[in-house]
Amino acid sequence: MQIKSAEFVKSCTAPGHYPEALWPEIAFAGRSNVGKSSLINTLLNRRGLVRTSSTPGRTQLLNFFLVNGDFCLVDLPGYGFAKVPIAVRKGWGPMVRTYLEQRPSLRAVVLLFDVRRVPHGEDLQLLDWLEEFAVPTIPVITKIDKVSRGQRARQLAPILEATGLPADAFTLFSAKTGEGKEEIWQRLEVAMEAPPKG
Ligand code: GTP
Ligand code: MG
């Protein structure tokens, strides 16, 4: 994918404030600190377009980006960070569920898993919602640079078991080395060419 332009459109929480659904859209979901913003920046070849942070739980809004004037990428709020105030944590479920259920231009969700963590809680909740609303899902295992090649199979086993997904469903990715970037672009292109649901 050649990136000619990438611009921030807006941040919001409720459907009444989403940008008009004029373009095919791909959203990125996963635990706080899993690397959603880093993945988007890597895909767009922009270091600082999407703010990344070593303090998890900063992004509590849906952030919309328009790429090449042609399609949208959405950075969804992360979850699972203990220091986030309870009121904010309670807001996450309805905000994300509503988006997944109601966004007509949504073509797929990239769901990120940290190679060093066993998926649980909201990770599995998200998989359920994506199935319930028939949103095509692109599962990605991130921070693969943290594990040596020889250790990969052993590290992946609990992720496959917890999600019930086969190994070949996942793209392995590293924002540090760029591994997996082209494969993710290919999967996004396929998803964006598919007809919209419903
Ligand atoms: P929230 O916005 O809080 O939900 O987090 P996020 O999912 O957007 O994570 P973010 O992209 O901000 O990354 C969190 C931290 O992980 C940052 O310090 C990144 O530099 C680091 N990180 C992200 N991806 C990778 C990766 O592939 N490899 C390594 N080694 N570090 C990564
Ligand atoms: Mg982020």
Side-chain angles (χ1 to χ4, degrees):
M1 173 71 66
Q2 207 196 327
I3 307 302
K4 287 167 271 177
S5 66
E7 59 190 280
F8 172 69
V9 179
K10 74 188 294 196
S11 295
C12 57
T13 57
H17 297 129
Y18 297 168
E20 249 192 290
L22 299 175
W23 306 279
E25 193 161 289
I26 307 275
F28 295 75
R31 195 159 288 281
S32 274
N33 210 40
V34 72
K36 296 175 293 297
S37 303
S38 302
L39 170 56
I40 297 174
N41 283 330
T42 302
L43 290 173
L44 299 179
N45 311 315
R46 297 287 199 293
R47 218 162 250 246
L49 181 70
V50 188
R51 201 143 56 102
T52 61
S53 154
S54 48
T55 316
R58 280 281 171 79
T59 319
Q60 291 300 340
L61 299 162
L62 310 165
N63 290 308
F64 292 79
F65 299 87
L66 180 63
V67 183
N68 294 348
D70 204 30
F71 61 92
C72 264
L73 302 183
V74 183
D75 194 10
L76 296 177
Y79 48 82
F81 185 53
K83 284 189 190 158
V84 171
I86 190 90
V88 174
R89 267 190 278 163
K90 279 192 177 154
W92 176 85
M95 190 188 338
V96 171
R97 192 176 194 280
T98 301
Y99 171 81
L100 297 177
E101 183 178 16
Q102 298 187 9
R103 186 65 169 161
S105 47
L106 181 62
R107 301 300 172 84
V109 168
V110 177
L111 183 50
L112 286 83
F113 301 95
D114 186 318
V115 68
R116 300 160 305 170
R117 283 173 175 269
V118 180
H120 65 279
E122 293 95 332
D123 299 314
L124 306 177
Q125 176 68 260
L126 266 171
L127 274 173
D128 281 349
W129 287 337
L130 291 165
E131 195 180 320
E132 180 182 351
F133 303 131
V135 179
T137 304
I138 299 172
V140 167
I141 296 177
T142 57
K143 306 194 183 181
I144 198 73
D145 58 277
K146 298 268 194 191
V147 172
S148 72
R149 285 195 179 256
Q151 293 287 315
R152 280 186 183 185
R154 204 165 63 86
Q155 285 281 340
L156 299 190
I159 301 179
L160 308 187
E161 187 178 332
T163 59
L165 296 170
D168 62 7
F170 292 91
T171 298
L172 306 183
F173 174 78
S174 165
K176 206 167 165 185
T177 66
E179 178 178 348
K181 175 182 169 183
E182 289 312 315
E183 187 177 311
I184 293 174
W185 265 128
Q186 282 168 17
R187 297 182 75 177
L188 299 193
E189 284 171 33
V190 168
M192 289 191 287
E193 280 158 19
K197 61 170 177 157

